[in-house]
């Protein structure tokens, strides 16, 4: 079955620690996205990538980093510079053209110890 | 003023009721309109996709777009307890060469038996 997988489902971060969230897709989509979802605030774009080896900052990129070395993978690192990382993180992908919609993974919930 | 406004609810209705969910927006360049359904602690799933103005029907779901009023709606007929979820509207424009939708905050719907 084609789809987007995210791991882990839950992640715990200690103070000062960097953590990496995994996102993999087998939909052959060109574009991939990372969103953060906080209660009552909807989805906020962190980073997006339209092609391999290229990515752009979204609205709330500070304290996060990404890489896009393979078409199928778009990992997100939450660095120690992100002072309020507790949230639900969603990865999405799309064909990248204007008429294609985004498909979302199941999400990763990040909690701070 | 946010680009996309959506009442967070919760909206509580009895089983079998007709549900109306709405979003307003300020950017007249938006041409692509989507509705996503998100169950608790899950990723959003695409429900409806509409281009420009008009109506689109899919089973119990009808999406309406009124570009003159900058207002979109999702109607759910014969609502079921399984429809209880958060409904997110999203929209995008054709400019910029990339597909980055703007999301509403989501409306929480509760359908009680």
């Amino acid at each position: 079955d084609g789809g987007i997988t995210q791991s882990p489902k839950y992640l715990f971060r200690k103070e000062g620690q960097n953590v990496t969230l995994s996102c993999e897709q087998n939909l052959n989509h060109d574009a991939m996205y990372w969103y953060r979802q906080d209660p009552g605030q909807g989805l906020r774009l962190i980073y997006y990538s339209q092609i391999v080896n290229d990515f752009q900052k979204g609205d709330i990129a500070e304290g996060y980093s990404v890489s896009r070395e393979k078409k199928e993978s778009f990992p997100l690192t939450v660095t120690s510079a992100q002072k309020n990382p507790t949230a639900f993180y969603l990865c999405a992908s799309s064909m990248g053209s204007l008429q294609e919609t985004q498909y979302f993974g199941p999400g990763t919930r990040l909690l701070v110890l | 003023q946010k680009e996309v406004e959506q009442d967070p609810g919760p909206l509580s209705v009895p089983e079998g009721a007709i549900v109306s969910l709405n979003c307003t927006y300020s950017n007249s360049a938006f041409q692509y309109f989507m509705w996503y359904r998100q169950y608790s602690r899950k990723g959003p799933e695409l429900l409806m996709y509409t281009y420009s103005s008009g109506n689109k029907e899919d089973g119990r779901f009808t999406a309406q777009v009124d570009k003159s009023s900058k207002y979109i709606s999702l109607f759910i007929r014969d609502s079921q307890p399984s429809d209880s979820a958060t409904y997110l509207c999203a929209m995008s424009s054709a400019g910029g060469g990339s597909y980055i939708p703007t999301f509403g905050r989501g409306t929480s719907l509760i359908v009680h038996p």
Side-chain angles (χ1 to χ4, degrees):
Chain A
D1 284 336
I4 303 174
T5 58
Q6 290 186 242
S7 62
K9 189 172 182 179
Y10 295 95
L11 186 57
F12 298 92
R13 193 191 92 163
K14 294 180 181 178
E15 199 73 35
Q17 186 181 37
N18 292 352
V19 292
T20 297
L21 286 62
S22 169
C23 178
E24 305 276 333
Q25 55 97 0
N26 61 3
L27 300 168
N28 199 32
H29 284 172
D30 292 314
M32 297 186 74
Y33 313 79
W34 274 106
Y35 291 91
R36 170 178 171 143
Q37 188 174 36
D38 295 281
Q41 292 200 41
L43 301 179
R44 292 187 289 170
L45 183 65
I46 305 172
Y47 269 98
Y48 66 99
S49 168
Q50 292 180 277
I51 57 172
V52 174
N53 291 323
D54 188 46
F55 48 82
Q56 285 77 40
K57 293 181 179 180
D59 300 321
I60 55 164
E62 185 174 351
Y64 301 97
S65 66
V66 294
S67 63
R68 186 85 187 277
E69 297 177 1
K70 298 187 299 181
K71 187 175 184 178
E72 303 79 18
S73 179
F74 191 41
L76 173 75
T77 296
V78 183
T79 75
S80 57
Q82 173 51 245
K83 297 307 179 187
N84 184 24
T86 297
F88 191 48
Y89 290 87
L90 288 160
C91 178
S93 70
S94 72
M95 283 297 293
S97 71
L98 292 173
Q99 296 184 18
E100 290 292 337
T101 54
Q102 293 182 336
Y103 295 87
F104 286 84
T108 292
R109 188 164 299 276
L110 177 60
L111 300 165
V112 177
L113 292 176
Chain B
Q1 181 192 10
K2 289 184 182 243
E3 268 195 305
V4 178
E5 298 279 1
Q6 186 176 12
D7 187 335
L11 176 63
S12 182
V13 301
E15 183 175 355
I18 297 175
V19 175
S20 173
L21 302 166
N22 312 293
C23 288
T24 59
Y25 62 94
S26 57
N27 187 347
S28 58
F30 285 147
Q31 294 185 343
Y32 304 91
F33 303 92
M34 287 72 65
W35 285 96
Y36 287 84
R37 177 175 63 196
Q38 184 177 23
Y39 291 113
S40 181
R41 303 178 188 274
K42 304 288 186 184
E45 57 178 320
L46 180 67
L47 269 182
M48 301 287 283
Y49 169 77
T50 311
Y51 170 69
S52 193
S53 284
N55 293 0
K56 185 173 184 178
E57 187 173 322
D58 184 1
R60 296 185 296 113
F61 299 90
T62 299
Q64 280 187 355
V65 175
D66 182 349
K67 292 189 72 180
S68 62
S69 301
K70 297 190 179 68
Y71 188 88
I72 69 171
S73 300
L74 177 70
F75 297 97
I76 307 174
R77 290 183 299 279
D78 187 25
S79 57
Q80 302 295 311
S82 58
D83 294 327
S84 298
T86 296
Y87 290 80
L88 299 158
C89 64
M91 46 198 80
S92 69
S93 63
S98 66
Y99 177 89
I100 306 293
T102 300
F103 285 86
R105 294 165 60 190
T107 298
S108 175
L109 172 66
I110 301 168
V111 181
H112 50 86

